Amino acid sequence: MIQRKHYLSEIRPFYESDLIKVITGIRRCGKSIVLEQIKNELAKQEKDIIYLNFEDRSVSLQITNDEQLIKYIEEKRSKDKEKCYVFLDEVQTVKNWNLACKTLRLHNISLFITGSNSKLLSKEFTKELSGRYVAFEIRPFVYKEILQYAAELKRDISITDYLVFGGFPKRLEFSDEKAVLQYLNDLDETIVLNDIMNRYKIRKEELFRKLVNYISIHNII
């Protein structure tokens, strides 16, 4: 996976800050990859690092609420190093995650968290984190990044391909057009159904889907 240097350069000045670093964005845009790249940079400096991915059931079943999360990190952090760098991927699955984050940042912890836009909207940061955060929105690949990743995969991607299929990184791993379309359609279904319709309790499903399709088509044109 390519280095997303633009985002890293924006986030890097806050590595040592006690502000909670919130990395958000649409599903499958590469939030976890950016989080991992930050972690790798700090690991090269031999920092004390704890990483938890709450999409992993072995993690989410073990840590379900703020008290368990705080206890786990306090037990796992190194006692020999002053600052600990904690990475919480998809943290919104933890009950009272905001209380855990606000507590951890007071314990000499540099905290990085990710969450999908459906769960962590910018207007909710202020409410849940009381202004003790700095937010970075990650987007799918721009064409330059598409070309870089395609080169890693030893593939040729045209500008037409990008305009038609977009910049979601995962879709480049499929060379068959039917597989690409299935992946993107399923992703679209998840975003529209889970992230929008369920969240806002939209009842007129068919009408809303027609509206989404109309906007999507006219944005492309």
Side-chain angles (χ1 to χ4, degrees):
M1 181 62 71
I2 67 170
Q3 285 285 105
R4 306 205 71 182
K5 296 179 181 178
H6 171 68
Y7 295 115
L8 293 176
S9 65
E10 286 185 347
I11 303 169
R12 201 172 285 126
F14 296 92
Y15 281 6
E16 304 301 323
S17 173
D18 65 351
L19 292 172
I20 300 165
K21 278 68 70 177
V22 182
I23 299 173
T24 187
I26 195 170
R27 289 178 186 267
R28 308 281 79 88
C29 68
K31 299 183 299 295
S32 297
I33 293 296
V34 171
L35 197 71
E36 183 178 351
Q37 290 177 355
I38 296 169
K39 178 173 68 71
N40 291 341
E41 281 194 357
L42 290 168
K44 290 178 181 178
Q45 303 173 35
E46 298 184 353
K47 302 291 188 180
D48 182 22
I49 293 171
I50 297 174
Y51 172 83
L52 293 169
N53 180 1
F54 290 97
E55 286 191 327
D56 184 339
R57 288 285 286 171
S58 64
V59 174
S60 60
L61 289 175
Q62 180 182 359
I63 303 172
T64 61
N65 59 49
D66 55 319
E67 292 181 358
Q68 292 174 346
L69 178 55
I70 293 169
K71 180 180 179 182
Y72 178 91
I73 290 173
E74 290 298 339
E75 289 177 349
K76 295 296 182 180
R77 69 183 299 181
S78 173
K79 302 301 184 289
D80 300 329
K81 297 182 180 180
E82 185 176 346
K83 185 182 285 290
C84 182
Y85 300 79
V86 175
F87 297 82
L88 306 176
D89 204 353
E90 299 295 342
V91 69
Q92 76 279 349
T93 63
V94 177
K95 183 180 180 181
N96 294 327
W97 62 269
N98 56 312
L99 300 180
C101 289
K102 286 191 285 188
T103 298
L104 290 169
R105 65 176 289 273
L106 299 176
H107 295 184
N108 201 20
I109 286 173
S110 181
L111 186 61
F112 301 80
I113 69 174
T114 75
S116 298
N117 276 347
S118 61
K119 301 294 184 182
L120 290 178
L121 297 176
S122 58
K123 67 180 181 180
E124 293 174 325
F125 298 153
T126 301
K127 174 184 175 182
E128 304 291 357
L129 301 178
S130 305
R132 299 178 177 90
Y133 71 92
V134 57
F136 306 91
E137 184 175 3
I138 309 301
R139 294 179 173 85
F141 283 168
V142 298
Y143 185 54
K144 179 181 179 180
E145 291 175 315
I146 283 281
L147 291 178
Q148 291 173 341
Y149 190 37
E152 284 189 6
L153 299 175
K154 294 180 171 54
R155 295 188 56 199
D156 293 322
I157 299 294
S158 67
I159 185 65
T160 301
D161 178 279
Y162 174 68
L163 292 174
V164 171
F165 296 112
F168 286 100
K170 187 73 174 177
R171 68 95 173 171
L172 289 176
E173 298 175 14
F174 306 105
S175 56
D176 182 76
E177 185 174 313
K178 287 185 178 180
V180 173
L181 288 173
Q182 181 176 343
Y183 170 73
L184 293 177
N185 286 334
D186 289 347
L187 181 58
D188 176 72
E189 181 75 10
T190 301
I191 292 171
V192 172
L193 181 61
N194 291 353
D195 295 355
I196 302 177
M197 296 183 66
N198 288 346
R199 178 184 178 85
Y200 294 104
K201 297 179 174 59
I202 295 172
R203 292 180 301 226
K204 297 182 178 180
E205 179 177 333
E206 184 177 353
L207 178 60
F208 181 75
R209 289 180 183 277
K210 289 181 179 179
L211 177 61
V212 169
N213 289 335
Y214 176 86
I215 293 173
S216 298
I217 292 171
H218 284 73
N219 277 344
I220 292 173
I221 295 173

